Structures are given as C-alpha cells and as structure tokens.
Amino acid sequence: MQIINKTILKTLYPWIIWLLGAAFFFYKYVLQVSPSVMSTELMQAFSITGAGLGNLAACFFYAYLIMQIPVGLLLDKYGPRLMMVLAILVCSLGTFLFAHAQSALTAGICRAMIGFGAAFAAVSCFKLVTIWFSPQRFALVAGLSMTAAMLGAVGGEAPLSYLVNAFGWRHAMTDVAMPGFLLMLLTLLLVRDKKTTVLPAETTRVTFQQLWRQIKIILRHRQTWLLSFYSGLAFAPVSVFGGLWGVSFLKQAYGLAPNSAASTISLIFIGFAIGCPITGWLSDYIRQRKSIMLVGTIIAFSSITSAIYLPATLNKSLLDLLMLSFGLGASCFFLCFSMVREIHPLIFAATVLGFMNMFDSICEALAEPLIGKLLDSGWHGAMQQGARLFSAHDYHIALAILPVFFLLALVLLNFTQETYCKQT
C-alpha cells in the first residue's frame, strides 16, 4: 500500500507543480487586464487622458519587457522555485500599493512593479513543464497553461467588473492582492527544483558561460527572430483589445452596458482558453505547427476586423460569436513557443522562451499608448463623469492597427520553417 501511495504521489506531483505554475500564470492575467474594466475610474482618479491611461496600463509591459531575458537567465541558472516565490510576492505587493496610489506617477510605478513580478509567470510555468514533463507533452501541457492564463483574463473582466461596480476599484484591487500572498506561501511550501528527466546527466542549473554562449546562438538564429516577431504581432491584439480598449469600445460603438461589454470581451479569453490545448494536441497529432498557426491567424484577423468595422446595429449574439472566434483563432499563435523551443536545447528553454516573450511585451507596450494617442488626436472635447469620451469613429481609426498587426504576422509566418514537432 505504501509503495502504491508513493507511486500515485510521484505521478501526481508534477501536476501539482504545474497547477501552482498555472495559478501564477492565471494571476498574472487577472492583473494584466484589470485596467480594462476600470478605465473610466482610473481616468477620473488620476485626471489623465486616453494616452495617459494607455501609458499607465503599459507601465506593466515596460517592466515586463525589460525583465524577459533576465527572467530566462535567472530561471535557467537558479531554477523556478525561488524565482517564483519572489516574483509572486512582488506582484501581490505591487497590486496592494496600486490600490492605494494617490497620483498617476505612483500608480505607474506600482503597475511597473506588478509587471516586474509578472514577467516570471509565463516563462516559469513553461520551465516547469519542460522540467517535469516529457518533450512530447510540451505542446499539450503548455496549452493547458495558456488555458489557465486566459481563464485569469476572464476573471479580470466580468467578475472584476462586478467588484469594481459594487465596491469601487480601490477595494476591488485590494481584494485581488490577497490571493497572491497565499499563492506565494503555497509555492514556497510545495514547489521544489529537480534534476531534469528530459536531458540525462544535466540539471536545471547551468553556468553563466553556458547561458551567454546560448544567447549568442539565439541571436544568430533567423528562425528565432521570425517566430518572436510573429508572436508579438499575433498576440498583441488579444492583449490590447481584450486587456484595455475592448470594453470601452463596445460600450461606445455598440451601446453595451459595462458588465455586458465585459462579458462579451471575456469570450475572447474563453475562446483562447479552449483553443490552446486543442491546437496543441492537434499539432502534435498531425506533426505540424505552421499550417495551424496560419489558419488561426487568418480567423483572428477576420474576426477582429469584423467586430471593429461592422455596423453598430450588429446583433449581440453575432458580436459574441466574433469575440469567441477571435480568441479561438488567436490561440494558434501559441504554437510558436513550441516551435522556438524545438530549435534550441531543452536545458536553455527558459532563456529562449523569455526572449520570445519579450516581443509580446514590446508590441503590447507600443500598441496600448499608441491607440490612446490616436484616440486623443480625434477627441472633440466630450466628457463623461470627468473622463474623456471618445466616439465610435475615433475607435475605428485608433484600433486599425490591430488588423495591421495580424497582416504583418501573416507575412512573417510565411518565411518561417516548419519544425514538424522535432526537438533539437
């Protein structure tokens, strides 16, 4: 019986480890998209413009961007456990301080603090998957990780919108900070580092000399650059529209109530959550990545373009369907993480995944304030409860960069080479 119990524990423990990594990924997305349901409240509280709101939200991505390569290096050098504990603590503390910020500058610093800690979430989770699961299961388990992340984005939309409307944004964000401290304690108690089973005689700890040599290899690899730029361009529309401007756009262009708009935007992340494990499994089954990414990107482009430019009389059910298909299509982008991991040694997985993840944050950090700036340039002085009110026409112009991102992503994808699911 004791032997059976040990066998069961040995089988379940990798999934327990993954669950904690996925929970951090979940938490990161709750924090990332939270400004979308309190955009008016934030503009009122800090007396900022559309560009100011874009910059405030993008402070998350500025810190996130700066940390991506260091995150990969630190995780490959010291392992996920210590890094995750410290990162979750920084996220939680930053969220608590953000809830009590009294100026736009302080709020921006707190958002940057959150982004600094959140920078570890995705790469930590993927590093755990690499360490605790076989390479053949990476696409599926990593896809499940993205499902957890997108469920966090859902939690940062409609449920958080309810809390904001019921108790105010400061009280809501204080409540959001508390689970982070609990997650930090669970990670400290339950996660442990281990010798990897995917590369015999190697551990998750490597020297800085090895890491530096690998960085030079990454920087010289054409496929890495193509996939990284594709990743940023294909995912930024989801993060930018779903995480900041989508709710306010739907309220203005389609006349939806705040909670209804948040629920519709949540369907983007629900579609993404459904699509990631399915496309990961399908890709492994047919032994191809690129063709699925191509189809998904086209679907995402068509869906977001239709949602932005179809008439305001569009039926809400059809609008919901477009948001769901947008998320489903965009989820295929995630296969590029499997592709870039397959062209580099597994022992350096965090470094190369951090490099790719950096391009996601670059595109997000550029797009959010740019859209805000474009909205400000078309603003005609309308105000609502102390915040700038932008017209549907203003949004049509500003959000045009999102379909352009997808078109550029399709061009880059055309030049990438299929890996056929073969690990280097």
Side-chain angles (χ1 to χ4, degrees):
M1 179 63 94
Q2 188 175 4
I3 295 176
I4 294 175
N5 289 337
K6 285 183 177 180
T7 303
I8 293 174
L9 181 60
K10 186 176 180 180
T11 303
L12 290 179
Y13 187 71
W15 288 102
I16 295 172
I17 294 291
W18 169 82
L19 187 62
L20 290 170
F24 185 19
F25 212 176
F26 176 99
Y27 190 58
K28 176 252 187 186
Y29 267 92
V30 172
L31 301 176
Q32 179 177 321
V33 307
S34 59
S36 69
V37 297
M38 57 183 78
S39 56
T40 300
E41 289 83 356
L42 292 176
M43 285 193 283
Q44 290 171 353
F46 303 119
S47 301
I48 53 178
T49 64
L53 176 63
N55 279 313
L56 174 59
C59 283
F60 176 99
F61 297 111
Y62 299 147
Y64 193 94
L65 163 64
I66 292 170
M67 284 302 298
Q68 281 310 297
I69 289 182
V71 161
L73 294 172
L74 290 169
L75 286 167
D76 281 334
K77 174 63 178 175
Y78 297 109
R81 180 177 180 269
L82 175 62
M83 293 296 103
M84 283 179 62
V85 168
L86 295 175
I88 297 170
L89 175 61
V90 171
C91 272
S92 306
L93 187 58
T95 304
F96 182 83
L97 295 174
F98 178 77
H100 297 83
Q102 297 301 315
S103 69
L105 176 61
T106 305
I109 293 172
C110 293
R111 279 289 290 176
M113 187 175 175
I114 296 169
F116 181 93
F120 287 82
V123 186
S124 294
C125 191
F126 299 151
K127 180 70 173 180
L128 289 173
V129 174
T130 299
I131 293 171
W132 291 92
F133 294 89
S134 68
Q136 292 74 27
R137 303 183 76 177
F138 180 86
L140 174 61
V141 182
L144 290 172
S145 304
M146 284 301 298
T147 296
M150 291 302 105
L151 291 176
V154 173
E157 293 291 344
L160 185 57
S161 176
Y162 171 79
L163 286 176
V164 170
N165 291 332
F167 304 107
W169 74 271
R170 293 186 185 277
H171 189 286
M173 292 307 292
T174 301
D175 289 345
V176 168
M178 295 303 110
F181 293 113
L182 176 60
L183 179 60
M184 179 204 66
L185 290 174
L186 289 175
T187 302
L188 179 64
L189 294 173
L190 296 178
V191 174
R192 61 180 173 85
D193 295 322
K194 69 183 281 284
K195 291 185 177 182
T196 180
T197 57
V198 295
L199 287 177
E202 294 195 59
T203 70
T204 58
R205 309 289 177 87
V206 294
T207 67
F208 280 118
Q209 289 80 7
Q210 289 174 304
L211 289 171
W212 177 241
R213 286 198 298 269
Q214 184 61 24
I215 287 175
K216 289 191 287 186
I217 293 172
I218 291 170
L219 293 176
R220 289 197 299 262
H221 205 297
R222 178 173 175 267
Q223 179 96 328
T224 302
W225 287 96
L226 288 171
L227 288 169
S228 296
F229 274 113
Y230 164 82
S231 174
L233 291 167
F235 182 66
V238 175
S239 179
V240 171
F241 190 78
L244 184 59
W245 296 112
V247 172
S248 55
F249 166 71
L250 294 184
K251 289 193 295 183
Q252 185 62 28
Y254 292 99
L256 300 185
N259 288 345
S260 179
S263 296
T264 297
I265 291 297
S266 295
L267 291 172
I268 300 173
F269 302 112
I270 291 174
F272 206 104
I274 294 171
C276 278
I278 292 175
T279 55
W281 170 83
L282 179 62
S283 175
D284 286 338
Y285 183 75
I286 67 174
R287 310 300 294 173
Q288 289 186 33
R289 312 281 193 208
K290 185 175 172 179
S291 58
I292 297 176
M293 291 159 62
L294 176 65
V295 172
T297 306
I298 292 173
I299 291 173
F301 164 76
S302 303
S303 299
I304 191 61
T305 304
S306 299
I308 294 173
Y309 295 109
L310 284 179
T313 55
L314 182 69
N315 182 278
K316 186 178 182 299
S317 297
L318 181 55
L319 184 61
D320 289 345
L321 181 61
L322 286 173
M323 293 296 98
L324 185 66
S325 64
F326 174 38
L328 281 168
S331 70
C332 298
F333 108 96
F334 180 67
L335 293 175
C336 67
F337 280 82
S338 294
M339 290 181 73
V340 80
R341 193 197 63 123
E342 285 161 352
I343 61 177
H344 294 285
L346 288 176
I347 195 67
F348 301 107
T351 300
V352 69
L353 292 174
F355 179 82
M356 170 173 278
N357 212 31
M358 179 178 67
F359 286 80
D360 294 357
S361 52
I362 287 174
C363 292
E364 291 161 342
L366 291 174
E368 289 195 344
L370 176 58
I371 290 174
K373 189 69 174 177
L374 291 172
L375 288 171
D376 284 336
S377 67
W379 180 59
H380 297 293
M383 301 287 289
Q384 185 180 55
Q385 298 178 339
R388 291 191 176 191
L389 183 64
F390 304 109
S391 68
H393 179 68
D394 295 333
Y395 280 108
H396 289 158
I397 294 174
L399 295 176
I401 68 171
L402 302 185
V404 171
F405 272 29
F406 278 124
L407 290 176
L408 292 174
L410 287 169
V411 172
L412 291 173
L413 186 60
N414 182 60
F415 291 100
T416 61
Q417 296 178 346
E418 176 64 70
T419 61
Y420 299 103
C421 307
K422 294 179 180 178
Q423 178 65 49
T424 299

